[in-house]
Amino acid sequence: CPTAADLRPANGTRVCAQLYADNSPYYDQCCAGDVLVVPPGSDAPYMPRGWSGRASSLVVGTRCELTVWSRKAKKGKSRRFGA
């Protein structure tokens, strides 16, 4: 998986988090498959089409925090992730 400091694409645009679709029992293969990029200041009460219940790994960038909920529309239990 990339480190929190690595979440900066080649053009220099900042990325706050990346969610990955593929999972593996081997750490070096966890961050694979489709990637959902979360830009700074994003507020999405619903996961994009095809991502509900699919994210298996995530990396949160430095100076960012990602909050997720167990149910749609920001309902249910929440959990926060940081770098």
Side-chain angles (χ1 to χ4, degrees):
C1 294
T3 66
D6 289 338
L7 294 187
R8 191 176 290 268
N11 67 3
T13 304
R14 187 164 175 241
V15 173
C16 271
Q18 289 185 173
L19 285 72
Y20 298 89
D22 291 352
N23 194 10
S24 172
Y26 302 103
Y27 180 77
D28 61 337
Q29 297 174 14
C30 282
C31 296
D34 292 335
V35 178
L36 178 61
V37 175
V38 180
S42 294
D43 184 12
Y46 299 94
M47 291 294 283
R49 181 176 286 273
W51 275 93
S52 181
R54 190 169 171 215
S56 64
S57 304
L58 63 89
V59 177
V60 179
T62 55
R63 298 182 319 197
C64 286
E65 185 176 85
L66 177 70
T67 304
V68 297
W69 286 265
S70 61
R71 304 192 66 201
K72 64 183 180 180
K74 298 182 181 179
K75 296 187 178 176
K77 294 181 181 181
S78 66
R79 182 159 181 193
R80 292 181 179 185
F81 297 91

